[in-house]
Every structure is written in structure tokens, then in C-alpha cells.
Amino acid sequence: MRNASRRDVLRCAQGLLLLLLVSGQVRAAGPDEASLQYYPTVERVRKDVEAERRDGRPGEVEGRISGQYLLLAEVLESSWGGRHGPASFDVQAPEKAKRLRDQYLDASAESRNHRFPALQSECSGRTVEEQEAKGICARVNYMSAQGNQRFRPEEVLRVAQRYFPSQYRDAFIRHSPAQELDEYASKIAQERQARERKADLENNYTRREAMRRRVLAGAVLAMLSMPMAALALLMRRARCQRARATALTRIISADDLYLFSRSGRAVDVQRYSRTHVTTTTETPYVHPDSWQSRAPSTTTTITTTDHLTLFIKGDDGDEWQESFVDLRVAVRAGNRVTLVYGGDRWSRTGVAVAIVNMDTREVAVDVLQARRIASRYSLLRAAFWGLGVAAVGATADMAFGMFTFTLAGLALGFVATLSLAFAWQWSLWANIQARIRPYANGLAAEV
């Protein structure tokens, strides 16, 4: 029984102690009317500051007094007004708190109106920093001390320690402007750190993306270098083969064209035509869900090609034949004709590219045969330069890490390849024909 009664007493004591601790925490955490008894009077504030700071700079003591008045008034308003400030304070605060707040504000206004230092002539026209550095400008010293008293945490702590017991100091500091300024500064610092972290992440992403683009552009450049090297070797090989050619080799420039002629009499002329018929049939069509339909139709295309074969006995007694397709020239057996041959200047051989009827002075140039003399080397050269354009874009992207010019370079290189190929090919064909026709006309004029 005695043990049971002791346990009950201990349990009651623990519960009472816990209740006291909880009530103490609640009392210290929020506004408490009992704390109002520790707020100093206006006269005491002035007396304490003057005793502590009697040797301060001109205007500094009065500024600190005014700053402490404002500090105490602002803590009262924040304690009972909360986030809504003076409006809520006037509704919620006890009468004593209202009287204290009004006394502090009146004392601060009185200090501002009647004790505010005049502007000294030696301080006029100077910046605030210059006046603070001089130390004798009472007006600047007043305003600086007033602000420090409200917003510097160490000054607020000194006031709390001077007038309030330990259970109220934390609440006093928490409701002071210095705490709000410190929280604001902390928030600004956190936002700045967040921006810096975001900027670091963006910079890291940008660097990784630039590196990825450089690698991609480098891979494209490596892939382009292989066909470019192959094309360069093919072009070099083609040039070497032309230099030691013994058979007809297609030319890559009109300067490589070699023209010569053979004359004789046509002993036989054979002409015939071939007709090619192409028939295309479209199947009927009926849409299952509408009235649209298409009837069956048949399209027939007829093309005719004229073939000319000449049997010629040359002036040297040799006889040979040449065949032409769609060459509009009038020749009969017995006419004296001259055939113009075009080839390369290395092998000095060629194919028949024109006929000159020496009796009628008629000249006909076989355009298709003349084009066959031209090499497709221009395609290799165009492909090489087109890949070169793409390689320049890939090099720029690899240098700057943008991957902006590679795709454009590939597209531009493709277009450049086609454009250069056709331009060079047409130019070569035109130059070859431009040399064959005057040569043939000159032969006709010699008669």
C-alpha cells in the first residue's frame, strides 16, 4: 500500500511539473500583459541613454533616445497587432500597451520636432558618407543612431537585456524591426543562393550541351573527312590516268579537247527510222462511300528515232563507217564528206561529233555524241566541294559548341553539290560544242 501511494504521489508531481513547463512556454511564446510592467518609462529611457552615451558624437545621444522610443513602440505594435500592424493593435492590445505606445511615439515626435540637430555649415553640400566620415555632423549622427537602435540586432539585444527578464527577451527580439530585417536579409540571401544554384545548374547544362554538340559536330566532321579523302584520291587518280592515257579518255576541261578530221567520199548511205510505242493504262476507280469514280483510260506515246549510217572511202584508200542518231543532215552516195572527231589531247583519239557535206557545205553537229566526250569528273569535284561546305560548318560548330551550322552546312553542301555539278557539266558541254562548230564551219569554208 505504501509503495502504491508513493507511485501516485510521484505521478502527480510529474504531471504538475509538466503542466508548469507547458504554461511557461505558452507564456513566453506569445503576448503577455505581465510583460508590460517591464517596459520603461520615457524618462527612464532618456536617463539610461544619457548615462551610457554621455561622450557620444554630436547628435548621437538624442538619436539613440528617439530610436529606442520607436523600437519600444514598434515591438508593442508587433506583439499585439501581428501582421496587420497598428490597425489590429488598436483593437487587440490592452489599454496599458496603447498608453505606452502613444507615450513612446509622442516622445519620439517631440525629439524629432524640438531636438533634431540643425544643419551645420561645414556639413552642407556633402554626401552622407562624407558627413559620417567627418564625425561632427550632428544631423547625420542623429539619423544614423536612430536607425541603428531599431535595426541592429546587437542594439535590440542590449535593450532587451536591460529592461526585460529572460522569459521575455526572445519575444522582444522576435517582434523587433531588426528581426524582420534579419529575416528579410536571410530571405534575400536564400533567394540569391537559389538563383546562384539555378545559374550554376544552367551553366553546367549549357557546358554539357555545348560539349555534346562539339562531340556530335566532331563525329560529323570525322564522317565527312572519309568520303572527302576518298573523292580526293579518286580525282588525283583520274588526273594521273589521263596523263598517260593511250585510249580515248573523257575530258574534264575544254582545254583538253582534241579535234581532228577525216575526209572521203560517201559510197553508201543507209537511213531508217525506229518507232517506239509506249502504252500506259490506268485502272478504273470507284470510291465505295461517294459518287467519285474514274473510268479506265489508255495513254499511248509514240517516239521515232532516225538512224543514219555512212560508208566512206577515205582519201588514203581506207574505208570505214560511222553511225548517227537523229542527226539532221542531207547526204547521198557520191557526196564528198568530212567527219570531225573529238577526243582528248593525250591519246589523240576520238569519236565522230560532226559531219560536213563538202559538196553542199552543210554542217551538222551531233550534240549527244559531243556530250559523251565530257567526263563526269565534275560530279566528283562538286561532291568534294559540297562536303567541304558541310565540313566547314561542322568545324565551326565544334569550335563554338553550337551545332547550328552543321545541319545548315549539310543542306547547303547538298545544294551546292547539285548546283556545281550541273553548272560545271553544262559549262563543259557548252564549251565543247563551242569549239566543235567553228572547227567544222572552218572545214566547210575551205572548199
Side-chain angles (χ1 to χ4, degrees), residues 211-233:
M211 183 58 65
R212 186 185 68 84
R213 291 171 180 172
R214 284 191 175 95
V215 172
L216 186 58
V220 173
L221 182 62
M223 289 188 293
L224 291 175
S225 63
M226 292 185 287
M228 287 184 66
L231 290 174
L233 291 175

Side-chain angles (χ1 to χ4, degrees), residues 28-279:
D32 186 356
E33 291 190 36
S35 65
L36 296 175
Q37 62 181 313
Y38 299 106
Y39 279 83
T41 62
V42 172
E43 293 77 11
R44 183 181 176 187
V45 170
R46 175 172 293 279
K47 180 179 178 181
D48 292 341
V49 174
E50 288 177 347
E52 181 185 21
R53 298 284 180 170
R54 65 181 60 184
D55 296 330
R57 297 186 298 179
E60 184 181 27
V61 173
E62 194 61 37
R64 292 180 66 85
I65 294 172
S66 177
Q68 281 198 23
Y69 290 152
L70 292 177
L71 171 65
L72 293 167
E74 288 167 343
V75 170
L76 285 170
E77 289 183 349
S78 179
S79 298
W80 273 274
R83 69 174 66 180
H84 302 292
S88 299
F89 175 81
D90 293 335
V91 176
Q92 303 177 31
E95 291 299 326
K96 184 176 181 180
K98 295 178 184 179
R99 287 195 303 271
L100 283 171
R101 191 275 307 262
D102 293 340
Q103 291 174 6
Y104 293 141
L105 292 179
D106 292 340
S108 177
E110 190 274 336
S111 174
R112 177 77 180 185
N113 295 331
H114 302 289
R115 302 174 186 271
F116 190 64
L119 181 62
Q120 299 153 267
S121 58
E122 61 269 25
C123 301
S124 178
R126 299 180 182 273
T127 63
V128 175
E129 291 78 10
E130 291 174 345
Q131 295 183 53
E132 288 180 346
K134 290 178 70 67
I136 62 173
C137 300
R139 177 172 289 187
V140 169
N141 294 338
Y142 178 97
M143 293 185 294
S144 177
Q146 186 187 62
N148 292 340
Q149 191 63 59
R150 298 166 58 204
F151 297 109
R152 281 194 175 180
E154 60 272 17
E155 298 292 344
V156 175
L157 176 61
R158 185 178 291 111
V159 173
Q161 291 174 342
R162 176 182 296 168
Y163 298 117
F164 296 92
S166 58
Q167 66 266 30
Y168 295 114
R169 291 173 187 169
D170 290 342
F172 183 88
I173 296 173
R174 187 169 63 251
H175 291 99
S176 66
Q179 182 68 20
E180 296 178 0
L181 185 63
D182 185 63
E183 292 176 353
Y184 177 75
S186 177
K187 181 180 179 182
I188 294 298
Q190 292 175 359
E191 292 178 353
R192 183 176 64 251
Q193 291 175 358
R195 289 194 299 269
E196 291 175 353
R197 286 195 298 270
K198 182 180 179 182
D200 291 340
L201 292 175
E202 291 177 352
N203 291 334
N204 291 335
Y205 174 78
T206 302
R207 286 194 294 268
R208 289 196 301 270
E209 188 67 14
M211 183 58 65
R212 186 185 68 84
R213 291 171 180 172
R214 284 191 175 95
V215 172
L216 186 58
V220 173
L221 182 62
M223 289 188 293
L224 291 175
S225 63
M226 292 185 287
M228 287 184 66
L231 290 174
L233 291 175
L234 288 175
M235 289 189 293
R236 178 179 177 83
R237 180 181 178 184
R239 287 183 177 274
C240 293
Q241 288 179 345
R242 289 186 181 90
R244 54 177 183 269
T246 56
L248 176 63
T249 303
R250 296 188 178 190
I251 61 176
I252 61 175
S253 172
D255 296 334
D256 298 331
L257 178 63
Y258 173 69
L259 296 174
F260 63 96
S261 62
R262 295 182 66 182
S263 299
R265 193 167 298 277
V267 296
D268 190 13
V269 178
Q270 296 181 1
R271 289 182 179 274
Y272 62 93
S273 299
R274 286 183 178 176
T275 302
H276 305 275
V277 180
T278 304
T279 302

